[in-house]
Amino acid sequence: MIPRRIASELTHLIDSYPAVALLGPRQVGKTTLAHEIGETRPSIYLDLESDADRAKLTEPELYLAGHEDKLVILDEVHRLPGLFQNLRGLIDRGRRAGHRTGRFLLLGSASIELLKQSGESLAGRISYLELGPINGLEVPREDLNRLWLRGGFPDSFLAASARVSQRWRQDFVRTYLERDIPQLGPRIPAETLRRFWTMLAHHQSGLLNGAELARSLGVDGKTVASYLDLLVDLLLVRRLEPWHANAGKRLVKSPRVYVRDSGITHTLLGLETLEDVLGHPIAGASWEGFAIETLIAAVPPGTQANFYRTAAGAEIDLVLTLPGRRPWAIEIKRSLTPKVERGFHHACEDIAPERRIVIYPGVEPYPLRDGIDVMPLDHAARALSGG
């Protein structure tokens, strides 16, 4: 078992709200974490992909009213979209009876409809928390390269060998394309979506060029935008928006796009071993995406994540604006002897960051001139988390 950093935050939210939605891709560990929470208090677990458990909710208010003193864990809750209206009535009646918090923990693979339906029905009664794949703060430093290679899905990371891990990820991609996405509504040919996902992996960390992707796929720009929205909503792709607070500069307006899990990136590109990855042109961009996911997972709630790039070439890989503070400027390098380009210095002059950090794959932090700190990934993540 790998302890997840958000477990304490999830417990706090359950103790503060009537309902909490834990969002994340399939197989990321939502059910395991929910069972851990459930073992600490009276609870029941219902898997809404199970016919037997769905049958129990034929009359949901009748069944759930008998368990108002327990935490009810509803897995794959998007399978019963009509349930949210029932939950609203149960929560309101429970409040009048003194059961104000800790009523429902909702687990969902897809944020699209779940957020829409729950937001409309449970406004003011629900809090949301995202569980991503295992990140660089959740494993020992000596396991970082394995985590980067295999990605953070637990079954992939903990697999007996690189080959078994690769096979798991191949099956994961195929299952998402052929079963899960069609179940969620969009009717997109699996092979077309696979090609699109693979193109994004080839362009890892690149600026989004919708017209180029549309030409390659033989579709129009609106279709590409809908494919991208789908993968972003499913928490499989990150769209990193550009910094836009400095009106005096000509700033790049296109977002950067990352396949969020590095192991999925490598599988889409057919890379099985660390040597395969290190010998591929994608290595630097893959490491950048891996670092960004760990850093964003470490920051306090309410932090804004952007990148900065001007038409003149001033650039910062990641700008993190913590609540109530000036931004942190973060450059990510795969080299053990990282060099900071002139564009980073110019960009820092533009945004006046609170801290200037270069992430590198070494083990020891050290200072550079101009107030720049070179740090291993885990050091920077702990600094951002306040730990």
Side-chain angles (χ1 to χ4, degrees), residues 81-115:
L83 187 61
F84 293 105
Q85 199 63 44
N86 300 114
L87 297 184
R88 175 178 180 168
L90 288 163
I91 287 171
D92 289 348
R93 283 197 293 276
R95 279 174 164 170
R96 291 192 291 271
H99 303 289
R100 303 189 64 82
T101 63
R103 298 290 310 281
F104 299 101
L105 175 56
L106 315 177
L107 311 182
S109 299
S111 65
I112 332 163
E113 289 303 312
L114 181 58
L115 283 171

Side-chain angles (χ1 to χ4, degrees), residues 39 50 64 165 207-208 273 281 297 325 327 349 366 369 372 383:
E39 289 172 2
S50 158
L64 294 173
S165 173
L207 293 174
L208 176 64
T273 67
R325 296 170 65 176
E349 290 173 7
Y366 62 90
R369 63 184 179 85
I372 296 172

Side-chain angles (χ1 to χ4, degrees), residues 31 37-38 111 168 359:
T31 303
I37 299 288
S111 65
W168 184 92
I359 307 290

